[in-house]
Amino acid sequence: MSDQLIKEQYLRAVYSFSHRGVRVEFSFDADSIAGSGRIEIEMAGSWAILSARDPMSRKLDESTNLRREAALDARLRIEELPNGPAEGRSPDGRWREPSRVVFGSGHAGMLALARGFEQRAVVWGERGCVGLLDCLTERWDIRPTFGIVGMAMV
């Protein structure tokens, strides 16, 4: 799969997580979430959504991906980085990827973490800006976000 096609899939994907009782669901593509509008994702400090699954977009079996997720969780505990569950999915919901939303890691720290799990890119947010942070080129492609912000499910 070409790098351009992979980037387009990242941009069309829907990302979701909860933070301090607020559910955030967004995409960089206005058509990915029915009924969504332009939103600003304002959070103090930096944050990222990353996964340990399917390194460099190579599909792995479920047991291997589960081991990789456990290793990511262990690494986040060791580094004492606040985090919580997140998800990346296709707009039609056929593909879903469990992920983590990680708070407070600096740019260099997040790149090192993502590269350690052989990820192509992470969603990166800082100072009200959100975009894809390419782990290979270190380019941060800031994009408008479209989605829904509401109360988290309890």
Side-chain angles (χ1 to χ4, degrees):
M1 191 178 307
S2 75
D3 286 344
Q4 184 59 36
L5 183 57
I6 289 169
K7 182 177 180 179
E8 288 173 17
Q9 288 177 335
Y10 277 113
L11 293 174
R12 282 193 309 267
V14 176
Y15 303 95
S16 60
F17 64 93
S18 293
H19 180 61
R20 296 186 177 167
V22 177
R23 174 105 176 126
V24 179
E25 183 174 79
F26 71 96
S27 179
F28 300 110
D29 181 342
D31 297 326
S32 290
I33 303 172
S36 69
R38 175 84 192 266
I39 62 170
E40 300 294 326
I41 304 173
E42 294 284 343
M43 286 196 277
S46 61
W47 59 277
I49 297 174
L50 79 149
S51 171
R53 290 177 163 253
D54 300 333
M56 297 306 288
S57 301
R58 286 186 334 267
K59 184 79 172 137
L60 298 179
D61 62 87
E62 186 64 11
S63 63
T64 302
N65 277 326
L66 288 172
R67 284 193 302 276
R68 291 175 63 83
E69 284 179 9
L72 173 59
D73 287 341
R75 177 92 178 266
L76 293 171
R77 278 191 304 277
I78 290 166
E79 294 187 20
E80 298 180 346
L81 289 169
N83 68 89
E87 181 182 73
R89 67 172 173 81
S90 62
D92 64 9
R94 291 183 190 170
W95 164 82
R96 292 181 178 276
E97 185 165 289
S99 303
R100 303 303 288 171
V101 59
V102 180
F103 303 98
S105 176
H107 185 264
M110 184 52 58
L111 277 171
L113 183 63
R115 287 174 174 160
F117 286 91
E118 303 173 83
Q119 297 302 298
R120 284 181 174 268
V122 297
V123 173
W124 176 259
E126 186 174 37
R127 297 181 310 274
C129 297
V130 182
L132 288 178
L133 176 57
D134 186 307
C135 296
L136 303 175
T137 66
E138 299 185 17
R139 182 170 189 256
W140 184 24
D141 186 9
I142 299 170
R143 297 286 182 136
T145 50
F146 303 88
I148 302 166
V149 177
M151 296 307 291
M153 300 296 288
V154 179

